[in-house]
Amino acid sequence: MKIDLIMMSKFGFADGGRETWFNNFFNEMKADQDDLQVVLYSLKLKSENIVDSHLKGQNLVENHEIDLGNKGVIPLTLLFILKLCFFVFRKNNRSRQVVAVGSLNDMLACFFSYPPIIYRGRKIIWLRTISRQEFGMKTKFFRLPLIFIEYLLLKFYFDKVLTNGEDTG
């Protein structure tokens, strides 16, 4: 089984819950399935990271690091989405399943890189977020459209939605 995994992370050892989840998920999956192949799309990795020390050379067949460069005029999320789209379309070797891990940023990256018109594979989102609380911290003007976009993606784009219970907003 080959899956593409999109995660906007640098995979540092102390980065947080998504990175811990990835490590646990990857180790559990490779124990269950010898034929697991993961193609990872992430931010440029930190010098000491989970991927290099635990995962490389096993079932991780490709690791595509997206370097966002220095912070400029374009927001980092938009830059990640644009570079990921360019990379995936240029490569044109999508797996039959794609898993996005995170929140709205990762959902949008998946949606634009694996558009429903072109990509017929299975799309899975693993929500590792408190996004509604995060949206609530922003101005009310932006909150409702973001929640609506998230709702549309969850309802109509993704085939499966995985959550972790109480810690997911």
Side-chain angles (χ1 to χ4, degrees), residues 81-98:
I81 292 170
L82 292 172
K83 286 190 172 190
L84 178 65
C85 287
F86 175 76
F87 193 85
V88 169
F89 279 103
R90 188 185 70 193
K91 179 183 160 201
N92 198 22
N93 187 19
R94 296 176 182 92
S95 300
R96 293 296 305 148
Q97 298 183 71
V98 59

Side-chain angles (χ1 to χ4, degrees), residues 119-131:
Y119 182 71
R120 298 289 183 223
R122 216 166 163 189
K123 300 162 295 289
I124 302 166
I125 178 71
W126 191 307
L127 289 176
R128 294 289 303 166
T129 179
I130 51 171
S131 59

Side-chain angles (χ1 to χ4, degrees), residues 59-124:
N59 298 66
L60 185 66
V61 292
E62 295 176 47
N63 179 22
H64 302 289
E65 300 177 35
I66 298 171
D67 187 5
L68 301 182
N70 296 330
K71 187 172 180 171
V73 178
I74 301 175
L76 295 179
T77 298
L78 181 59
L79 194 57
F80 178 77
I81 292 170
L82 292 172
K83 286 190 172 190
L84 178 65
C85 287
F86 175 76
F87 193 85
V88 169
F89 279 103
R90 188 185 70 193
K91 179 183 160 201
N92 198 22
N93 187 19
R94 296 176 182 92
S95 300
R96 293 296 305 148
Q97 298 183 71
V98 59
V99 178
V101 182
S103 63
L104 184 60
N105 298 335
D106 304 276
M107 287 182 200
L108 291 172
C110 185
F111 178 78
F112 288 111
S113 301
Y114 296 78
I117 295 171
I118 298 171
Y119 182 71
R120 298 289 183 223
R122 216 166 163 189
K123 300 162 295 289
I124 302 166

